[in-house]
Amino acid sequence: MSIEIRTYGDSVLRRVADPLTKIDAEAKRIAEKMVEAMIRANGIGLAAPQIGVSKRIIVLDLNGEFHILLNPEIIETSQESEEIVEGCLSIPGVNAEVTRKLRTHLRGITLDEKPVDIEGEGLMARAIQHEIDHLNGVLFVDYLSPARRRSLLKEYHRKQKEKDE
Ligand code: ZN
């Protein structure tokens, strides 16, 4: 059975996800499903709420190497930002320019319960910030001006409708 990626309008995407209190078989199962869904969707990152699980788990594809991070936190970011076109697997078919920090330092826990640090720059820093946002119920469209957001979501809904027809 394929794993469905939740899309815009699904309330799970707006919830603040819960931290994991223990790393058990269930957490491993969720993480495996997330990696599978990310690969199938050709994404470079995915957050648990995107498969309907309101838990603080993200997966990242760092140049073909998969990282599973539990309870991840951004502990440092650069002052410098950059504006780049960005999209989201949960809002497929539309993109917009979003300003994000150029570099981030992420800390999380692996499935083996080991602390892990990842320093990302450019695209990876962007993916990290985007996925952490998902854990806080934030979507990239939230950074757009109201007018830009309206027109982007209009385009998104039109494309979704076309796809369903
Ligand atoms: Zn996303």
Side-chain angles (χ1 to χ4, degrees), residues 22 30 43 49 59-60 67 81-82 91 108 118 148 150 161:
K22 61 178 186 321
I30 295 163
V59 295
L60 296 166
H67 286 259
S81 304
E82 62 178 351
I91 317 176
I118 292 176
R148 180 77 184 97
R150 250 194 318 276
K161 217 175 137 223

Side-chain angles (χ1 to χ4, degrees), residues 50 88-89 130 134:
Q50 292 183 277
C88 178
L89 296 176
H130 181 115
H134 272 302

Side-chain angles (χ1 to χ4, degrees), residues 78 80-82 100-104 120-122 125-126 129:
S78 61
E80 312 103 284
S81 304
E82 62 178 351
R100 300 247 187 217
K101 299 294 186 189
L102 194 59
R103 284 183 299 277
T104 55
E121 196 176 324
R126 180 164 292 266
Q129 292 166 77

Side-chain angles (χ1 to χ4, degrees), residues 41-114:
N42 274 318
I44 60 162
L46 196 75
Q50 292 183 277
I51 62 159
V53 177
S54 197
K55 296 257 189 254
R56 302 189 85 82
I57 308 174
I58 65 169
V59 295
L60 296 166
D61 177 353
L62 298 176
N63 307 314
E65 205 186 311
F66 301 123
H67 286 259
I68 295 164
L69 292 146
L70 314 171
N71 297 339
E73 272 177 276
I74 290 174
I75 55 171
E76 209 182 344
T77 58
S78 61
Q79 291 290 322
E80 312 103 284
S81 304
E82 62 178 351
E83 196 184 53
I84 289 184
V85 171
E86 183 172 322
C88 178
L89 296 176
S90 293
I91 317 176
V94 294
N95 300 284
E97 302 223 317
V98 177
T99 301
R100 300 247 187 217
K101 299 294 186 189
L102 194 59
R103 284 183 299 277
T104 55
H105 183 171
L106 184 76
R107 184 164 290 165
I109 305 164
T110 65
L111 282 175
D112 308 323
E113 306 195 32
K114 292 194 176 74

